[in-house]
Amino acid sequence: MKSWLQWSIDNLLPRHCILCGYASGTTNICAPCSDELPRIGVCCRKCSLPLADPGDPVCSHCEKYSVPWNSAIAALVYGFPVDQLVRRFKFSRSLACGQLLAQELTRAVANRCIHPPDAIVPVPLHRTRYLARAFNQSELLARHTGKHLGVPVYPGLLCRRRRTRAHSGLDAISRRINIKGAFRCRLTSRQHDYVRHIALVDDVLTTGATLSECTRALQAEGIRKVSVWVAARAPEPRAQPDE
């Protein structure tokens, strides 16, 4: 019944592309706009920064500065029009934009993830920010990806101990200071027995300050391997806000 109803709606009220506005049939983006999305191909295995040389396993930044997680997968380059999709999803509650970002993340993970995690954990919001937005964009991305990959999602495994400043306008050092010690991991005794590899999900990766603190909180509780999955990757470290 649900499939029939969706088919009827899509045919009677065809959707329009969230980028160009033209009719897009049964999807939220038309084929031409989809083809032009800046999907990430060859990239650094540690931070998913796009690389020009497919022979390089890691980027020059990761060669100089170590990240605490084990690997990263990003679907899209954080630039136009992806930055608009993220902002509309996060701040204007555009579920159509969120669905597109989730689909792109799921596609990237399905193509590039060699060893599936035991669980998926979204980067949490502080309760006051959650109440203001009415949803956590990272959790929606995590649930969509987990559903399609058959991996359980634990949205409550990480929590924020305190509210932090928004990272917009802060440099890399200020972000690390701002977010330090802000997260706590709450593994149950049962989860301790079988959860060894966790995939952290967020919308955008830039300096990695937030994801680094989340990773350290997980490692402090005995998690052996942490992968980072994000919908978008800023083209340069410290270039764009990740929160």
Side-chain angles (χ1 to χ4, degrees):
M1 176 65 72
K2 184 178 180 180
S3 299
W4 178 85
L5 180 61
Q6 188 63 56
W7 180 88
S8 300
I9 292 174
D10 289 337
N11 282 273
L12 293 174
L13 299 171
R15 305 184 194 183
H16 290 79
C17 177
I18 55 179
L19 290 177
C20 70
Y22 284 97
S24 56
T26 61
T27 62
N28 292 320
I29 187 171
C30 66
C33 286
S34 177
D35 291 340
E36 293 180 4
L37 285 176
R39 296 184 177 95
I40 294 177
V42 178
C43 60
C44 173
R45 64 178 177 83
K46 294 288 286 184
C47 73
S48 206
L49 191 70
L51 296 174
D53 186 354
D56 293 334
V58 296
C59 66
S60 58
H61 185 267
C62 287
E63 287 179 347
K64 296 178 182 178
Y65 309 101
S66 176
V67 293
W69 58 79
N70 299 88
S71 63
I73 295 176
L76 305 164
V77 174
Y78 188 70
F80 184 83
V82 178
D83 55 349
Q84 302 301 312
L85 295 175
V86 171
R87 290 183 183 124
R88 286 163 60 185
F89 175 37
K90 184 186 295 189
F91 301 115
S92 300
R93 304 177 187 176
S94 172
L95 295 182
C97 292
Q99 184 181 46
L100 175 58
L101 293 170
Q103 290 170 345
E104 291 296 324
L105 176 58
T106 301
R107 178 192 300 182
V109 170
N111 290 337
R112 292 158 52 189
C113 179
I114 300 175
H115 303 292
D118 301 313
I120 298 174
V121 176
V123 172
L125 290 177
H126 189 268
R127 60 182 178 274
T128 56
R129 191 164 293 168
Y130 182 89
L131 290 173
R133 291 186 187 171
F135 76 106
N136 178 358
Q137 74 280 356
S138 299
E139 182 177 340
L140 294 184
L141 293 173
R143 289 192 180 280
H144 182 280
T145 307
K147 177 181 178 181
H148 285 78
L149 298 179
V151 179
V153 178
Y154 297 144
L157 195 143
L158 273 177
C159 68
R160 292 210 182 213
R161 291 175 169 175
R162 56 183 173 80
R163 183 172 182 177
T164 57
R165 295 171 57 194
H167 279 182
S168 302
L170 298 181
D171 59 25
I173 295 176
S174 298
R175 293 183 185 196
R176 288 196 295 268
I177 295 172
N178 179 54
I179 206 72
K180 186 174 180 58
F183 299 97
R184 180 165 62 93
C185 178
R186 301 184 294 191
L187 274 175
T188 66
S189 57
R190 178 173 173 268
Q191 290 168 340
H192 264 295
D193 294 336
Y194 72 91
V195 178
R196 295 290 182 268
H197 177 195
I198 281 179
L200 269 174
V201 172
D202 206 0
D203 51 359
V204 183
L205 167 61
T206 54
T207 67
T210 299
L211 289 163
S212 291
E213 280 301 306
C214 288
T215 298
R216 293 186 185 101
L218 293 171
Q219 292 170 338
E221 286 296 312
I223 299 301
R224 298 175 182 174
K225 183 177 180 181
V226 177
S227 301
V228 166
W229 295 352
V230 293
R233 175 66 166 101
E236 294 291 341
R238 312 177 186 88
Q240 298 289 345
D242 66 349
E243 185 171 274

